[in-house]
Amino acid sequence: MTAQSHDPEAATEAGDAEAKETATMMKQEKSRDDRENGDASKMSGRVGNASEGFRHVLQQVGDYGRWQIKVFLVASFCGMFTAFHNLSAAFIAATPEHWCHVAPLDDITDSSSSSYDLRNGSVPWIVEWDGKGGYSSCSYYDRNWTGLVAGGLQEEDLPLLPTAGVPTTDCKDWMYDHSVYETTAVEEWGLVCSNKYRMSLIQSTYMAGVLAGAVVLSELADKFGRRTISLISALGFVVSAISIAFTTHYSLFLTFRFLVAAFGSGLFLPNFVIVMETVGPEGRTTMGMLYQCFFAVGFMLLPGIAYFVNNWRNLQLCISIPSILLLLYYWVLPESPRWLMMQGRFEEAVKILKNIAKTNRSSMPPREELDALRESFEFERKKSEEIEESLLKKFINFFRSIITLLSTRNIRRRCLIIFFAWFVVSMVYYGLTFSGGNINASPYLLVFLSGLVEIPSYFLVCWTLKKFGRRLNLCVLFTICGTACLLILAVPKEMVWLNMTLATVGKFFNSAAFAVSYIYSAELVPTGVRNIAVGTSSMCARIGSAIAPFIVDLLGDLHYAVPSTVFGLLSVAAGLLALLLPETDKMHLPETVEEVEALPR
């Protein structure tokens, strides 16, 4: 510290020996620092750090050419398979029409007759709130059915049995309508009536797996490589997905779906990082948005497959066996050269860069520039090794970061609003997709339309973001989505097409709001806590998507429009709260907490 306060030139002129010695030490220290930092002169005056150096080299070999397009198609292909399983519960865990199975009545069934419904006289007729009714799904009349059948009860006698004052009892076994689905997991394990919550758990545990995979496998991808984790995840994804079709226990069914979800995250996220780390700024926005398109394609293909394959085990195999193609990643998926350089595997990175240059018909930079880039990455790597934290320290720092997010006025307001936005947008995204049963819409058509509208919604948001910025976009998109959901309350259940149109419109604007939320959350907080803020936002989204099935299934029993009303009110609330956020379009990303707190909001 003392040496830094001296002026070497003044010391030399004064002839002070101690000052001369100090000046010499400073020059040596500066020279050493220049070498460690990959001095700009060694980078031909073009770059000053590893990130800038890699960007410059990538520009020379081509940062948005044929190689990047090929890798984009290879990496994003996995989105189609993850979409299959993200939404497969709409079909493999569909709830067909069902009623109590009164076993003694099996002995009076006349196979030659089809004019009698055994429910008439054995199952109560329930009148709904709107005056319409149907046979009870969960109870039957508690009579001595065995004695009645033994006494000569016939089918034609059932409607004549008195029902007034006759007690009812809960079903122990059910009959299912097979006109739409041959078999479903709900029928196999009796996930109806008092066990209906177990049906909702099928999708909720899947979303928990998505969260677990995003947290654990993304961390491992930083340590062991994007390609390595992607390959492991591809194998785990294929094995777990196929195993689901052969499991005979409900708990194993949930476990394998949890694993499919976790490995799906281990595929989707590292592949996205590979694309983003090998493309330049020009193509990053376009490829980042289009990366979701394969997911939308899988969204649209799934109902077509499910329509023709209505046995749930066969359907599971049909959407799982093609994912064996993901094992080809071993031969066609490259590692991120940026990550390789950061790990000191420079020659492997150079080999990939040569392949990029060859495919893009460009040329490699001079060897001196590559050597300077190596030194820059070596310096960065040594710095990261010096500050590498233990697991306990990471855990402590996580809570410190959370405290930072919530301890100051502006950041606290920004984070709580964007966390709520992520919670709502994810809940509505999956809630609308699975809500076909509540509005009597065909699940095949509703899921298809939900996927179809995603692609134009991404293109819309690319234009509106440039035109109107983040805040107004988020407000308007959420508000329109919420209004469409709320209008379902005013439309009779019989007007299926109008209700389905409103649900599809809501899904369109919800998908666009999802894209804006993703970008906005990274721009609202300072650099030091940006990762933890985006990660916490994603966690809130997973919580929302895990709750969505319970809202659709359990609240839908109260009234067909209760789930859509909940989604609408929350969406409108999220849209209005967005007005309290600052506009971040064309603004520099904040670096410190103080910088954020100095702003009006």
Coordinates of all heavy atoms in Angstrom, one line a residue, residues 174-228:
W174 N -65.0 -48.5 -9.4 CA -65.6 -47.6 -10.4 C -65.7 -48.3 -11.8 O -64.9 -49.2 -12.1 CB -64.8 -46.3 -10.6 CG -64.9 -45.4 -9.5 CD1 -65.8 -44.4 -9.3 CD2 -64.1 -45.4 -8.3 NE1 -65.6 -43.8 -8.1 CE2 -64.5 -44.4 -7.4 CE3 -63.0 -46.2 -7.9 CZ2 -63.9 -44.1 -6.2 CZ3 -62.4 -45.9 -6.7 CH2 -62.9 -44.9 -5.9
M175 N -66.7 -47.9 -12.6 CA -66.8 -48.2 -14.0 C -66.3 -47.0 -14.8 O -66.6 -45.8 -14.3 CB -68.2 -48.6 -14.3 CG -68.7 -49.8 -13.6 SD -68.1 -51.4 -14.2 CE -68.9 -51.5 -15.7
Y176 N -65.7 -47.2 -15.9 CA -65.2 -46.0 -16.7 C -65.7 -46.1 -18.1 O -65.9 -47.2 -18.7 CB -63.7 -46.1 -16.7 CG -63.0 -45.8 -15.4 CD1 -62.8 -46.9 -14.5 CD2 -62.7 -44.5 -14.9 CE1 -62.2 -46.7 -13.3 CE2 -62.1 -44.3 -13.7 CZ -61.9 -45.4 -12.9 OH -61.3 -45.2 -11.6
D177 N -66.0 -44.9 -18.7 CA -66.4 -44.8 -20.1 C -65.1 -44.8 -20.9 O -64.2 -44.0 -20.8 CB -67.1 -43.4 -20.2 CG -67.5 -43.2 -21.7 OD1 -67.5 -44.1 -22.5 OD2 -67.9 -42.0 -22.0
H178 N -65.1 -45.8 -21.9 CA -64.0 -46.0 -22.7 C -64.2 -45.4 -24.2 O -63.5 -45.8 -25.1 CB -63.6 -47.5 -22.8 CG -63.1 -48.0 -21.5 ND1 -63.6 -49.2 -20.9 CD2 -62.2 -47.6 -20.6 CE1 -63.0 -49.4 -19.8 NE2 -62.1 -48.4 -19.6
S179 N -65.1 -44.6 -24.3 CA -65.4 -44.0 -25.6 C -64.3 -43.1 -26.1 O -64.1 -42.9 -27.3 CB -66.8 -43.3 -25.7 OG -66.7 -42.2 -24.7
V180 N -63.6 -42.4 -25.2 CA -62.5 -41.5 -25.6 C -61.1 -42.1 -25.3 O -60.3 -42.1 -26.2 CB -62.6 -40.2 -24.8 CG1 -61.5 -39.2 -25.2 CG2 -64.0 -39.5 -25.1
Y181 N -60.9 -42.7 -24.1 CA -59.7 -43.2 -23.8 C -59.8 -44.7 -23.5 O -60.7 -45.1 -22.7 CB -59.1 -42.6 -22.5 CG -59.0 -41.1 -22.6 CD1 -60.0 -40.3 -22.0 CD2 -58.0 -40.5 -23.3 CE1 -59.9 -38.9 -22.1 CE2 -57.9 -39.1 -23.4 CZ -58.8 -38.3 -22.8 OH -58.7 -36.9 -22.8
E182 N -59.0 -45.5 -24.1 CA -59.0 -47.0 -23.8 C -58.6 -47.3 -22.4 O -59.3 -48.0 -21.7 CB -58.1 -47.7 -24.8 CG -58.1 -49.2 -24.6 CD -57.1 -49.9 -25.6 OE1 -56.8 -49.3 -26.6 OE2 -56.6 -51.0 -25.2
T183 N -57.5 -46.7 -22.0 CA -57.0 -46.8 -20.6 C -56.3 -45.5 -20.2 O -55.7 -44.9 -21.1 CB -56.1 -48.0 -20.3 OG1 -54.9 -47.8 -21.1 CG2 -56.7 -49.3 -20.7
T184 N -56.3 -45.1 -18.9 CA -55.5 -44.0 -18.5 C -54.9 -44.4 -17.1 O -55.4 -45.3 -16.5 CB -56.3 -42.7 -18.3 OG1 -57.2 -42.8 -17.2 CG2 -57.1 -42.4 -19.5
A185 N -53.9 -43.7 -16.7 CA -53.3 -43.9 -15.3 C -54.3 -43.7 -14.2 O -54.3 -44.3 -13.2 CB -52.1 -43.1 -15.1
V186 N -55.2 -42.8 -14.5 CA -56.3 -42.5 -13.5 C -57.2 -43.7 -13.2 O -57.5 -44.1 -12.1 CB -57.1 -41.3 -13.9 CG1 -58.4 -41.2 -13.1 CG2 -56.3 -40.0 -13.9
E187 N -57.5 -44.4 -14.3 CA -58.4 -45.6 -14.2 C -57.6 -46.7 -13.6 O -58.1 -47.5 -12.7 CB -58.9 -46.0 -15.6 CG -59.7 -47.3 -15.6 CD -60.1 -47.7 -16.9 OE1 -60.0 -46.9 -17.9 OE2 -60.6 -48.9 -17.1
E188 N -56.3 -46.9 -13.9 CA -55.5 -48.0 -13.4 C -55.3 -47.9 -11.9 O -55.4 -49.0 -11.3 CB -54.1 -48.0 -14.1 CG -53.2 -49.1 -13.7 CD -52.1 -49.5 -14.6 OE1 -52.3 -49.1 -15.8 OE2 -51.1 -50.0 -14.2
W189 N -55.1 -46.7 -11.4 CA -54.9 -46.6 -9.9 C -56.0 -46.0 -9.2 O -55.9 -45.6 -8.0 CB -53.6 -45.9 -9.7 CG -52.4 -46.7 -10.1 CD1 -52.0 -47.9 -9.6 CD2 -51.4 -46.3 -11.1 NE1 -50.9 -48.3 -10.2 CE2 -50.5 -47.4 -11.2 CE3 -51.3 -45.3 -12.0 CZ2 -49.4 -47.4 -12.0 CZ3 -50.2 -45.3 -12.9 CH2 -49.3 -46.3 -12.9
G190 N -57.2 -45.8 -9.8 CA -58.4 -45.3 -9.2 C -58.2 -43.9 -8.6 O -58.5 -43.6 -7.5
L191 N -57.6 -43.0 -9.4 CA -57.3 -41.6 -8.9 C -58.5 -40.7 -9.1 O -58.4 -39.6 -9.8 CB -56.0 -41.1 -9.7 CG -54.8 -42.0 -9.7 CD1 -53.7 -41.4 -10.4 CD2 -54.4 -42.4 -8.3
V192 N -59.6 -41.0 -8.5 CA -60.8 -40.2 -8.6 C -61.4 -40.1 -7.3 O -61.0 -40.7 -6.3 CB -61.8 -40.9 -9.6 CG1 -61.3 -40.9 -11.0 CG2 -62.1 -42.3 -9.1
C193 N -62.4 -39.2 -7.2 CA -63.2 -38.9 -6.0 C -62.2 -38.5 -4.8 O -61.5 -37.6 -4.9 CB -64.0 -40.1 -5.6 SG -65.3 -40.4 -6.9
S194 N -62.2 -39.3 -3.7 CA -61.3 -38.9 -2.6 C -59.8 -39.0 -2.9 O -59.0 -38.4 -2.2 CB -61.6 -39.8 -1.4 OG -61.4 -41.2 -1.7
N195 N -59.5 -39.7 -4.0 CA -58.1 -39.8 -4.4 C -57.8 -38.9 -5.6 O -56.7 -39.0 -6.2 CB -57.8 -41.3 -4.9 CG -57.7 -42.2 -3.7 OD1 -57.3 -41.9 -2.6 ND2 -58.2 -43.5 -3.9
K196 N -58.6 -37.9 -5.8 CA -58.4 -37.1 -7.0 C -57.1 -36.2 -6.8 O -56.5 -35.9 -7.8 CB -59.6 -36.1 -7.2 CG -59.6 -35.4 -8.5 CD -60.9 -34.7 -8.8 CE -60.9 -34.0 -10.1 NZ -62.2 -33.4 -10.5
Y197 N -56.8 -35.9 -5.6 CA -55.6 -35.1 -5.4 C -54.3 -35.9 -5.9 O -53.3 -35.2 -6.3 CB -55.4 -34.8 -3.9 CG -55.0 -35.9 -3.0 CD1 -53.7 -36.2 -2.7 CD2 -55.9 -36.8 -2.5 CE1 -53.3 -37.2 -1.9 CE2 -55.6 -37.9 -1.8 CZ -54.2 -38.1 -1.5 OH -53.8 -39.2 -0.7
R198 N -54.4 -37.2 -5.9 CA -53.3 -38.0 -6.3 C -53.1 -37.9 -7.9 O -52.0 -38.0 -8.4 CB -53.4 -39.5 -5.9 CG -53.5 -39.7 -4.4 CD -53.8 -41.1 -4.1 NE -52.6 -41.9 -4.3 CZ -52.7 -43.3 -4.3 NH1 -53.8 -43.9 -4.2 NH2 -51.6 -44.0 -4.5
M199 N -54.2 -37.6 -8.5 CA -54.1 -37.3 -10.0 C -53.4 -36.0 -10.2 O -52.6 -35.9 -11.1 CB -55.5 -37.3 -10.6 CG -55.5 -37.2 -12.1 SD -55.7 -35.5 -12.6 CE -57.4 -35.2 -12.3
S200 N -53.7 -35.0 -9.4 CA -53.1 -33.7 -9.5 C -51.6 -33.8 -9.2 O -50.8 -33.0 -9.8 CB -53.8 -32.7 -8.6 OG -55.1 -32.5 -8.9
L201 N -51.2 -34.7 -8.3 CA -49.8 -34.9 -8.0 C -49.0 -35.3 -9.2 O -47.8 -35.1 -9.2 CB -49.7 -35.9 -6.8 CG -49.9 -35.4 -5.4 CD1 -49.9 -36.5 -4.4 CD2 -48.9 -34.3 -5.0
I202 N -49.6 -36.0 -10.1 CA -48.9 -36.5 -11.3 C -48.1 -35.3 -12.0 O -47.0 -35.4 -12.3 CB -49.8 -37.2 -12.3 CG1 -50.3 -38.5 -11.6 CG2 -49.1 -37.5 -13.6 CD1 -51.3 -39.3 -12.5
Q203 N -48.9 -34.2 -12.2 CA -48.2 -33.0 -12.9 C -47.4 -32.2 -11.9 O -46.4 -31.7 -12.3 CB -49.3 -32.2 -13.5 CG -48.8 -31.1 -14.4 CD -48.0 -31.6 -15.6 OE1 -48.0 -32.7 -15.9 NE2 -47.3 -30.7 -16.3
S204 N -47.8 -32.1 -10.6 CA -47.1 -31.3 -9.7 C -45.7 -31.9 -9.4 O -44.7 -31.2 -9.3 CB -47.9 -31.2 -8.3 OG -49.1 -30.5 -8.5
T205 N -45.6 -33.2 -9.2 CA -44.3 -33.8 -9.0 C -43.4 -33.7 -10.2 O -42.2 -33.6 -10.1 CB -44.5 -35.3 -8.6 OG1 -45.3 -36.0 -9.5 CG2 -45.1 -35.5 -7.2
Y206 N -44.0 -33.7 -11.4 CA -43.3 -33.5 -12.6 C -42.6 -32.1 -12.6 O -41.4 -32.0 -12.9 CB -44.2 -33.7 -13.8 CG -43.4 -33.6 -15.1 CD1 -43.0 -34.8 -15.8 CD2 -43.1 -32.4 -15.8 CE1 -42.2 -34.7 -16.9 CE2 -42.4 -32.3 -16.9 CZ -42.0 -33.5 -17.5 OH -41.2 -33.5 -18.7
M207 N -43.4 -31.1 -12.2 CA -42.8 -29.8 -12.1 C -41.7 -29.7 -11.1 O -40.8 -28.9 -11.2 CB -43.9 -28.8 -11.9 CG -44.8 -28.6 -13.1 SD -43.9 -28.1 -14.6 CE -45.0 -28.5 -15.9
A208 N -41.9 -30.4 -10.0 CA -40.8 -30.4 -9.0 C -39.6 -31.0 -9.6 O -38.5 -30.6 -9.3 CB -41.3 -31.3 -7.8
G209 N -39.7 -32.0 -10.4 CA -38.5 -32.6 -11.1 C -37.9 -31.6 -12.1 O -36.6 -31.5 -12.2
V210 N -38.7 -30.8 -12.7 CA -38.1 -29.7 -13.6 C -37.3 -28.7 -12.8 O -36.2 -28.4 -13.2 CB -39.3 -28.9 -14.3 CG1 -38.7 -27.7 -15.0 CG2 -40.0 -29.8 -15.3
L211 N -37.8 -28.4 -11.6 CA -37.0 -27.5 -10.7 C -35.8 -28.1 -10.2 O -34.7 -27.5 -10.3 CB -37.9 -27.1 -9.5 CG -37.2 -26.2 -8.5 CD1 -36.7 -24.9 -9.0 CD2 -38.2 -25.9 -7.3
A212 N -35.8 -29.4 -9.8 CA -34.7 -30.1 -9.3 C -33.6 -30.2 -10.4 O -32.4 -30.0 -10.1 CB -35.1 -31.5 -8.8
G213 N -34.0 -30.5 -11.6 CA -33.0 -30.7 -12.7 C -32.4 -29.3 -13.0 O -31.2 -29.3 -13.3
A214 N -33.2 -28.3 -13.0 CA -32.7 -26.9 -13.3 C -31.6 -26.5 -12.3 O -30.6 -25.9 -12.7 CB -33.8 -25.9 -13.4
V215 N -31.9 -26.8 -11.0 CA -31.0 -26.4 -10.0 C -29.7 -27.2 -9.9 O -28.6 -26.7 -10.0 CB -31.7 -26.4 -8.6 CG1 -30.7 -26.2 -7.5 CG2 -32.8 -25.4 -8.5
V216 N -29.9 -28.6 -9.9 CA -28.7 -29.5 -9.7 C -27.9 -29.7 -11.0 O -26.7 -29.5 -11.0 CB -29.3 -30.9 -9.2 CG1 -28.1 -31.8 -9.1 CG2 -29.9 -30.7 -7.9
L217 N -28.6 -30.0 -12.1 CA -27.9 -30.3 -13.3 C -27.3 -29.1 -14.0 O -26.2 -29.2 -14.6 CB -28.8 -31.0 -14.3 CG -29.2 -32.4 -13.8 CD1 -30.2 -33.1 -14.8 CD2 -28.0 -33.3 -13.6
S218 N -27.9 -27.9 -13.8 CA -27.3 -26.7 -14.3 C -26.0 -26.4 -13.6 O -25.0 -25.9 -14.2 CB -28.3 -25.5 -14.2 OG -29.4 -25.7 -15.0
E219 N -26.0 -26.6 -12.3 CA -24.8 -26.4 -11.5 C -23.7 -27.4 -11.9 O -22.5 -27.0 -12.1 CB -25.1 -26.6 -10.0 CG -23.9 -26.5 -9.1 CD -23.5 -25.0 -8.8 OE1 -24.3 -24.1 -9.1 OE2 -22.4 -24.8 -8.3
L220 N -24.1 -28.6 -12.2 CA -23.1 -29.6 -12.6 C -22.6 -29.3 -14.0 O -21.4 -29.6 -14.4 CB -23.7 -31.0 -12.6 CG -24.1 -31.6 -11.2 CD1 -24.8 -32.9 -11.3 CD2 -22.8 -31.7 -10.3
A221 N -23.4 -28.7 -14.9 CA -23.0 -28.3 -16.2 C -21.9 -27.3 -16.2 O -21.0 -27.3 -17.1 CB -24.2 -27.8 -17.0
D222 N -21.9 -26.4 -15.2 CA -20.8 -25.4 -15.1 C -19.5 -26.1 -14.6 O -18.4 -25.6 -15.0 CB -21.2 -24.4 -14.0 CG -22.2 -23.4 -14.6 OD1 -22.3 -23.2 -15.8 OD2 -23.0 -22.8 -13.8
K223 N -19.7 -27.2 -13.9 CA -18.5 -27.8 -13.4 C -17.9 -28.9 -14.3 O -16.7 -29.0 -14.5 CB -18.8 -28.5 -12.0 CG -17.6 -29.1 -11.3 CD -18.0 -29.6 -9.9 CE -16.7 -30.1 -9.2 NZ -15.7 -29.1 -9.0
F224 N -18.8 -29.7 -14.9 CA -18.3 -30.8 -15.8 C -18.5 -30.6 -17.3 O -18.1 -31.5 -18.0 CB -19.0 -32.1 -15.3 CG -18.7 -32.5 -13.9 CD1 -19.7 -32.3 -12.9 CD2 -17.5 -33.0 -13.5 CE1 -19.5 -32.7 -11.6 CE2 -17.2 -33.4 -12.2 CZ -18.2 -33.2 -11.2
G225 N -19.2 -29.6 -17.6 CA -19.3 -29.3 -19.0 C -20.8 -29.4 -19.5 O -21.5 -30.3 -19.0
R226 N -21.1 -28.5 -20.4 CA -22.5 -28.5 -21.0 C -22.8 -29.8 -21.7 O -23.8 -30.5 -21.5 CB -22.7 -27.4 -21.9 CG -22.8 -26.0 -21.2 CD -21.4 -25.5 -21.0 NE -21.4 -24.1 -20.6 CZ -21.3 -23.6 -19.4 NH1 -21.4 -24.4 -18.4 NH2 -21.3 -22.3 -19.2
R227 N -21.8 -30.2 -22.6 CA -22.1 -31.4 -23.4 C -22.1 -32.7 -22.5 O -23.0 -33.6 -22.7 CB -20.9 -31.6 -24.4 CG -21.0 -32.8 -25.3 CD -19.9 -32.8 -26.3 NE -20.0 -34.0 -27.2 CZ -19.5 -35.2 -26.9 NH1 -18.8 -35.4 -25.8 NH2 -19.6 -36.2 -27.8
T228 N -21.3 -32.8 -21.5 CA -21.2 -34.0 -20.6 C -22.6 -34.1 -19.9 O -23.1 -35.3 -19.9 CB -20.1 -33.8 -19.6 OG1 -18.9 -33.7 -20.3 CG2 -20.1 -35.0 -18.7

